[in-house]
Amino acid sequence: MRYAKGSLVINPERDIPLLRQVRNSKFVSHHQLFEFMKLGGLDHSRNCFNWRVKRLVDSGQISVCQDVYGAGSAVYRIAKDGLTLLEHNGQFATVLHSRTEHLPHLSQVFHSLELNAVRLALARANLLADWQSEVEVASFNTISRSPYQKDYDAIVDVWIGDRTVRFALEYERTLKSLKQYESIRAALEAEHQIDCVLYLTSGMEVLLHLVHEFQSVRKRMAFADARTVERHLLDTIVTNRNGITAKFSEVLQ
């Protein structure tokens, strides 16, 4: 079949999963996106992937984030046309859709890229059973009769031996106000669907502050540097809310 020159022909098995990954990640680098597609068995050729991304950028389905430095490759964000196309193919998200007034803000770029890095590290090691992104969690919370108490950055299922264990993941790059932490503590105390929360931090100063802020929360909580988790995964030595250290896999069990 011949198509008009310049027309965009969508491959539901390749283009739609790629667009969904960009939307759910909020921001994703070119290198990360290729690895997501490769690990998902959707694209193994770098040349084919580059061609696919270029045509989606050229047609306005995804956009390149300008003035983002230090990511190692171009960074993408979903565009309004891409959201419309996803919805046309049955992929709707209540918190990020074609009529959403504001797309994810560029201030969130490195927050998203770090979460992508952790997700990919778990997937490479065959430890990842499922990953629900913040977009998916927040969308679920808006329509569910039994929502989570917080729009977590991710809800993650990992393999430990022959069974899966679930935890909520939060990534704290900068510190919040005392009032915000008070609200978060109340949400975590009221949470009955998640037994364990892992807080990733951008450094030791943030980590120590979080341990102090959440010391009174009666829930299994673990704190660790994000880059350390990327390297050591479930073997990461984490700190609990009482300042005691253990492997994260032991905390989960």
Side-chain angles (χ1 to χ4, degrees), residues 73-139:
S73 61
V75 174
Y76 304 115
R77 174 175 61 183
I78 195 73
K80 290 289 184 74
D81 285 350
L83 291 169
T84 300
L85 184 56
L86 281 172
E87 290 157 17
H88 179 68
N89 284 269
Q91 301 291 329
F92 181 77
T94 59
V95 299
L96 185 54
H97 53 83
S98 57
R99 296 181 65 184
T100 300
E101 189 172 348
H102 300 292
L103 295 174
H105 195 272
L106 286 177
S107 63
Q108 299 175 295
V109 166
F110 287 100
H111 183 274
S112 297
L113 296 185
E114 187 59 57
L115 289 168
N116 294 340
V118 171
R119 178 177 180 175
L120 288 168
L122 287 167
R124 279 186 223 111
N126 294 317
L127 293 171
L128 187 63
D130 189 44
W131 180 289
Q132 299 172 56
S133 70
E134 182 188 359
V135 169
E136 294 169 293
V137 174
S139 294

Side-chain angles (χ1 to χ4, degrees), residues 34-73:
F34 176 60
E35 191 166 5
F36 276 127
M37 296 301 100
K38 187 168 64 172
L39 289 169
L42 298 167
D43 235 329
H44 294 284
S45 165
R46 173 74 76 167
N47 288 338
C48 288
F49 169 77
N50 290 345
W51 169 82
R52 188 175 307 283
V53 170
K54 184 178 185 303
R55 54 191 275 283
L56 291 173
V57 170
D58 290 346
S59 62
Q61 310 303 312
I62 60 178
S63 60
V64 179
C65 299
Q66 303 298 327
D67 301 322
V68 173
Y69 307 103
S73 61

